[in-house]
Amino acid sequence: MKEIVYNYRVEFGDCDPARIVWFPNFFRWIDAASRHFFVECGVPRWEETEKTLGIIGTPVVDTHAKFVKTATYGDTLQFHVSIPEWRGKSFVQRYRVMRGEDLIMECDEVRIFAARREDNPEQIRAVVAPDSIRKLCE
Amino acid sequence: MKEIVYNYRVEFGDCDPARIVWFPNFFRWIDAASRHFFVECGVPRWEETEKTLGIIGTPVVDTHAKFVKTATYGDTLQFHVSIPEWRGKSFVQRYRVMRGEDLIMECDEVRIFAARREDNPEQIRAVVAPDSIRKLCE
Amino acid sequence: MKEIVYNYRVEFGDCDPARIVWFPNFFRWIDAASRHFFVECGVPRWEETEKTLGIIGTPVVDTHAKFVKTATYGDTLQFHVSIPEWRGKSFVQRYRVMRGEDLIMECDEVRIFAARREDNPEQIRAVVAPDSIRKLCE
Amino acid sequence: MKEIVYNYRVEFGDCDPARIVWFPNFFRWIDAASRHFFVECGVPRWEETEKTLGIIGTPVVDTHAKFVKTATYGDTLQFHVSIPEWRGKSFVQRYRVMRGEDLIMECDEVRIFAARREDNPEQIRAVVAPDSIRKLCE
């Protein structure tokens, strides 16, 4: 199973008046880490896959996160990303966020491969993971 | 059980190139809705409770969200917030996010009442919910 | 000259470890206030104007902001928005941000009406403000 | 004059429905680049300078930005940061944001070194740049 690491240094503005990371920011970085995983695996950007495969992205349909230790600005975090499970039209993407030896947070997401609905392009629908993408990520 | 509604109108910049809300933004609004709940229940701002009760906020230790329908800019969302469960040093805060009749997403968080650690004020520890706060929120 | 007011209540997560609004957030709200101005003037959403007029939005090409007083969470801010100047392919959008009687910040932007370039739809070009839009905003 | 480069890769969620960077995000990265400049020059984090020098940060009092070319996700941007001018209680911090050879945006800020006001620690006041910090940054 492939594991890709995305690094992020926490900035002053990422922290709140309690001087710790404001938790919604973790999801910003998780989404960047998710994309980073696909980039590192060789998946083209969504704009291209929209043209070739109809795939416009991998929106999250379910996310479950545990916050174990706090982090603050100046910290460098390592997001360890993998896809431990492929389902029919969805997959689990997993993140373990470390600061060196310390576990900061962990998160399991269910994401889908999304295409535009033919009857209404503003709406999306889940499609089976294209083999070409899945092979790159396993 | 008290239920408070927080309203938010989705803005252009809240949406991503797929023209739907970029999901980390939901957690921005959920945190605002959480705070709004306490404000509406009459709980003072954390800066004051830090002085009177030692409480610096209610950080999230666990969050589980399901994204049911997409939203886009121009939509007005209603965040229905409640605290369905009080535990020893933590509590469950629940959000049902509606766009009129449509359920957009729902989220259950476990939060704690946090105080600074005496041996290291940069670290936080969970404390039992003060009665004065709990009574305001039930 | 039309003036529209956009209200925003500053949230905990909008503030940084110095316990004041992290300044990039002002630009989030200014962009929302800019959009709010057009909405209140009756201009349709950009998705519709893209179809009818080719206009995909009003990106900022120049912005100049002065930060006069700090704001913190719990504050309600009033963004007073107007368009004091129309130029050929651009216009000045002005914001005076008040907290009651206190001036918090002010900002003058130059924005354009943007259309996609025909030779490369990923690039944008400035177009003359459509009369139909300009009349709604004056 | 010292020049420090801060690198940032634009993420999917940094872009808006027009598929270009949502401009307030540039100010997020500029603030990170500002901080990065001080870190690279050897200035301690604000938490430490608050204890040793009373300095809690360098808030922006004036910013003027020009957006020259658009950027989108996948782009790597180089923020070239310098301090071209020291004034009594303020200084100019300059950013030239490049994507390789292309100028994307440029920004001149006036920032101050801020200390808490003695009569009201929630308010800040400008202080003369400490020699120890200035020497590190020239």
Side-chain angles (χ1 to χ4, degrees):
Chain A
M1 189 174 74
K2 277 192 188 165
E3 187 183 271
I4 302 288
V5 179
Y6 171 79
N7 293 289
Y8 183 79
R9 189 181 67 184
V10 179
E11 303 293 347
F12 182 79
D14 297 325
C15 299
D16 64 23
R19 294 199 289 274
I20 57 178
V21 171
W22 189 47
F23 86 89
N25 287 322
F26 278 109
F27 294 100
R28 298 180 68 89
W29 309 327
I30 276 178
D31 198 55
S34 170
R35 181 79 201 108
H36 182 71
F37 177 88
F38 291 114
V39 169
E40 291 295 301
C41 290
V43 177
R45 42 189 278 142
W46 304 134
E47 199 173 276
E48 287 177 46
T49 59
E50 182 169 5
K51 290 169 194 159
T52 55
L53 296 164
I55 304 290
I56 62 169
T58 55
V60 178
V61 294
D62 187 296
T63 187
H64 189 177
K66 291 175 193 290
F67 300 91
V68 181
K69 289 200 175 183
T70 60
T72 191
Y73 68 101
D75 289 351
T76 297
L77 305 179
Q78 299 84 44
F79 291 68
H80 296 256
V81 190
S82 60
I83 297 185
E85 192 181 338
W86 295 86
R87 300 170 181 175
K89 293 185 173 179
S90 66
F91 61 98
V92 176
Q93 199 161 21
R94 179 167 294 161
Y95 310 85
R96 282 179 61 81
V97 185
M98 309 296 292
R99 183 182 52 211
E101 297 296 301
D102 286 338
L103 176 63
I104 301 299
M105 63 98 71
E106 49 193 349
C107 181
D108 265 21
E109 291 175 334
V110 180
R111 288 181 178 250
I112 58 167
F113 283 97
R116 299 199 180 282
R117 283 177 53 166
E118 284 170 30
D119 56 336
N120 180 352
E122 293 309 305
Q123 297 291 319
I124 60 172
R125 64 193 173 88
V127 293
V128 174
D131 274 346
S132 61
I133 291 182
R134 184 167 165 173
K135 275 179 196 158
L136 291 167
C137 301
E138 281 176 333
Chain B
M1 189 174 72
K2 277 191 188 166
E3 188 183 271
I4 302 289
V5 179
Y6 171 80
N7 293 289
Y8 183 79
R9 188 182 67 185
V10 178
E11 303 293 347
F12 182 78
D14 297 324
C15 299
D16 64 25
R19 294 199 289 273
I20 56 178
V21 171
W22 189 46
F23 85 89
N25 287 322
F26 278 110
F27 294 99
R28 298 180 67 92
W29 310 327
I30 276 178
D31 199 54
S34 170
R35 181 78 201 109
H36 183 70
F37 176 88
F38 290 113
V39 168
E40 291 295 302
C41 289
V43 177
R45 42 190 275 137
W46 304 134
E47 198 172 278
E48 288 178 46
T49 60
E50 182 170 4
K51 289 170 193 156
T52 55
L53 296 164
I55 304 291
I56 62 169
T58 54
V60 177
V61 294
D62 187 296
T63 188
H64 189 178
K66 291 175 194 290
F67 300 91
V68 180
K69 289 200 175 182
T70 60
T72 191
Y73 69 100
D75 290 351
T76 297
L77 305 179
Q78 298 85 43
F79 292 67
H80 296 255
V81 190
S82 60
I83 296 185
E85 191 182 339
W86 295 85
R87 299 169 181 176
K89 294 186 173 178
S90 67
F91 61 98
V92 176
Q93 198 160 21
R94 179 166 293 162
Y95 311 85
R96 282 179 61 82
V97 184
M98 309 296 292
R99 183 184 51 212
E101 297 296 301
D102 285 337
L103 176 64
I104 301 299
M105 61 98 71
E106 50 192 349
C107 181
D108 265 21
E109 291 175 333
V110 181
R111 288 181 178 250
I112 58 168
F113 283 98
R116 298 199 181 283
R117 283 178 54 166
E118 285 171 28
D119 56 336
N120 181 352
E122 293 311 303
Q123 297 291 319
I124 60 172
R125 64 193 173 89
V127 293
V128 174
D131 274 348
S132 60
I133 291 182
R134 185 167 164 172
K135 274 180 197 158
L136 291 166
C137 302
E138 280 176 332
Chain C
M1 188 174 72
K2 276 191 188 166
E3 188 183 89
I4 301 289
V5 179
Y6 171 80
N7 293 289
Y8 183 79
R9 189 182 66 183
V10 179
E11 302 294 347
F12 182 78
D14 297 324
C15 298
D16 64 25
R19 294 200 289 274
I20 56 178
V21 170
W22 189 46
F23 86 91
N25 287 321
F26 279 109
F27 293 100
R28 298 178 69 89
W29 309 328
I30 276 179
D31 199 54
S34 170
R35 182 78 201 110
H36 183 69
F37 176 88
F38 291 113
V39 169
E40 291 295 302
C41 289
V43 177
R45 42 189 278 139
W46 303 135
E47 199 172 277
E48 287 177 46
T49 60
E50 182 170 5
K51 290 169 194 157
T52 55
L53 297 164
I55 304 290
I56 63 168
T58 54
V60 178
V61 294
D62 187 297
T63 187
H64 188 177
K66 291 175 193 292
F67 300 91
V68 180
K69 290 199 175 183
T70 60
T72 191
Y73 69 100
D75 290 350
T76 298
L77 305 179
Q78 299 84 43
F79 292 68
H80 296 256
V81 190
S82 60
I83 296 185
E85 192 182 337
W86 295 85
R87 300 170 181 176
K89 293 185 174 179
S90 67
F91 60 98
V92 176
Q93 199 161 20
R94 179 167 293 162
Y95 310 85
R96 282 179 62 80
V97 184
M98 309 296 292
R99 183 182 52 212
E101 297 295 300
D102 287 336
L103 176 63
I104 300 299
M105 63 99 71
E106 50 192 350
C107 181
D108 265 22
E109 291 176 333
V110 180
R111 288 182 178 250
I112 57 168
F113 283 97
R116 297 199 181 281
R117 281 177 56 164
E118 286 171 28
D119 56 335
N120 181 352
E122 292 311 304
Q123 297 291 318
I124 60 172
R125 64 192 172 88
V127 293
V128 174
D131 274 347
S132 61
I133 291 183
R134 184 167 165 174
K135 274 180 196 157
L136 291 167
C137 301
E138 281 177 330
Chain D
M1 188 173 75
K2 276 191 189 167
E3 189 183 88
I4 301 289
V5 179
Y6 172 80
N7 293 289
Y8 183 79
R9 189 181 66 184
V10 178
E11 303 293 347
F12 182 77
D14 298 324
C15 298
D16 64 25
R19 293 200 290 274
I20 57 178
V21 170
W22 190 47
F23 86 90
N25 287 322
F26 279 109
F27 293 100
R28 298 180 68 90
W29 308 327
I30 276 178
D31 200 53
S34 170
R35 181 79 201 108
H36 183 70
F37 176 88
F38 291 113
V39 168
E40 290 296 301
C41 290
V43 177
R45 43 191 274 140
W46 304 134
E47 200 172 275
E48 288 177 46
T49 60
E50 182 169 6
K51 289 170 194 157
T52 55
L53 296 163
I55 304 291
I56 61 169
T58 55
V60 178
V61 295
D62 188 295
T63 188
H64 188 177
K66 290 174 194 290
F67 299 91
V68 180
K69 290 199 174 181
T70 60
T72 191
Y73 69 101
D75 290 350
T76 298
L77 305 179
Q78 299 84 43
F79 291 68
H80 296 256
V81 190
S82 59
I83 297 185
E85 192 182 338
W86 295 85
R87 300 170 180 176
K89 292 184 174 180
S90 67
F91 61 98
V92 176
Q93 199 161 21
R94 179 167 294 161
Y95 310 84
R96 281 179 63 80
V97 184
M98 310 297 293
R99 182 182 53 212
E101 298 295 301
D102 286 337
L103 176 63
I104 300 299
M105 64 97 71
E106 49 192 350
C107 181
D108 265 21
E109 292 176 332
V110 181
R111 288 182 178 249
I112 58 167
F113 283 98
R116 297 200 181 282
R117 282 178 54 167
E118 285 172 29
D119 56 335
N120 181 351
E122 292 310 304
Q123 297 291 319
I124 60 171
R125 63 191 173 89
V127 293
V128 174
D131 275 346
S132 61
I133 291 183
R134 183 167 165 173
K135 274 179 196 158
L136 290 167
C137 301
E138 282 176 330

